[in-house]
Amino acid sequence: MPPIPDPSDDTQAGLAPAGAFSATERAAIYRVIETRRDVRDQFLADPLSDELVTRLLAAAHAAPSVGFMQPWNFILVRDQAMRQAAWEAFSKANDEAAEMFSGGERELYRSLKLEGIRKAPLSICVTCDPDRAGPVVLGRTHNPRMDVYSTVCAVQNLWLAARAEGVGVGWVSIFRDEDVRRLLGIPERVAIVAWLCLGHVDQLYSEPELAVRGWRQRLALDDLVFSECWQGD
């Protein structure tokens, strides 16, 4: 049996030198963040290679997780009939959502093209298993939602890696949980966090599509930053 590392010994604890990235590397990271978009309709039909999908999943799997519990699973959905069934579940929920708006907002909502499930060659359902690390998880003892928050970090990692690869991602959230659970055979104890549509794109909006279409505009950062205590309404 190998010796148990002494956490007070930096050489045994696996520490490595840290430092800022180069200016070029930093610029690339900020560009990826700033130009990431939620793609709804601009997908190309070209399939994603297995090597590319593996890179994206590895990026997601490298995400931080509370207690290193790594609660995520990734269900890859390529079958056209499965994606059509998912689209039908989405379409039903989308019609329900449209009725929650009124007047011009309803018309604008209905004008948004939300065809990613059928157009993108790959969908990934990202789930969260709350039992992955047992009943007591370091860091989750007083906030049980930390497993879902960790899974969202994996989604963001995948999204940013996809942007760097020229792959568009759309997050579909308009569906009834039970419809997707039944379609994919997901156990009740496992949370459905995201349905992601992935595909190559050759064009992206220069700003978030909902801002371009007049749905909402980006809030001013200065209005969202407080010092020392809550200062909002």
Side-chain angles (χ1 to χ4, degrees):
M1 177 181 296
I4 298 175
D6 178 359
S8 66
D9 184 342
D10 288 352
T11 60
Q12 292 188 49
L15 296 179
F21 288 3
S22 70
T24 300
E25 292 169 328
R26 291 198 305 272
I29 290 172
Y30 283 111
R31 181 177 174 230
V32 164
I33 292 170
E34 292 165 0
T35 62
R36 180 213 57 79
R37 296 289 176 262
D38 189 7
V39 179
R40 293 172 171 79
D41 189 55
Q42 294 81 36
F43 294 105
L44 304 177
D46 308 338
L48 304 178
S49 71
D50 291 343
E51 294 79 6
L52 174 53
V53 173
T54 297
R55 288 198 300 272
L56 299 180
L57 293 175
H61 189 46
S65 61
V66 171
F68 203 38
M69 69 180 300
Q70 305 158 76
W72 41 71
N73 281 93
F74 308 96
I75 303 174
L76 308 186
V77 182
R78 296 187 176 92
D79 181 76
Q80 185 174 356
M82 288 284 284
R83 289 189 287 117
Q84 176 64 26
W87 181 84
E88 289 171 4
F90 152 79
S91 184
K92 178 177 65 175
N94 192 49
D95 288 342
E96 295 170 355
E99 295 305 313
M100 298 178 188
F101 301 101
S102 60
E105 272 195 338
R106 180 182 297 174
E107 294 306 310
L108 178 54
Y109 181 91
R110 289 193 178 279
S111 74
L112 298 172
K113 293 183 179 179
L114 305 170
E115 290 295 313
I117 295 176
R118 292 198 292 191
K119 291 187 69 174
L122 172 65
S123 286
I124 301 178
C125 183
V126 185
T127 63
C128 171
D129 185 346
D131 301 330
R132 178 65 48 81
V136 180
V137 178
L138 188 155
R140 196 184 62 170
T141 51
H142 290 75
N143 188 344
R145 295 177 296 177
M146 295 307 296
D147 48 17
V148 174
Y149 297 164
S150 298
T151 304
V152 173
C153 289
V155 172
Q156 179 77 336
N157 266 22
L158 186 151
W159 212 332
L160 296 177
R163 176 66 189 94
E165 296 274 8
V167 172
V169 176
W171 185 333
V172 179
S173 59
I174 305 171
F175 56 79
R176 288 189 176 275
D177 188 269
E178 60 268 23
D179 290 339
V180 173
R181 191 175 299 280
R182 182 169 54 251
L183 177 66
L184 300 182
I186 299 171
E188 284 294 330
R189 66 178 181 79
V190 173
I192 300 170
V193 175
W195 183 291
L196 305 177
C197 305
L198 286 82
H200 290 291
V201 291
D202 58 11
Q203 290 184 317
L204 289 172
Y205 281 94
S206 57
E207 296 290 336
E209 182 182 356
L210 293 184
V212 173
R213 301 290 296 277
W215 186 264
R216 273 183 73 93
Q217 299 304 310
R218 190 180 298 280
L219 301 175
L221 177 59
D222 287 347
D223 294 339
L224 308 176
V225 179
F226 305 149
S227 179
E228 309 303 343
C229 64
W230 178 264
Q231 297 164 353
D233 297 333

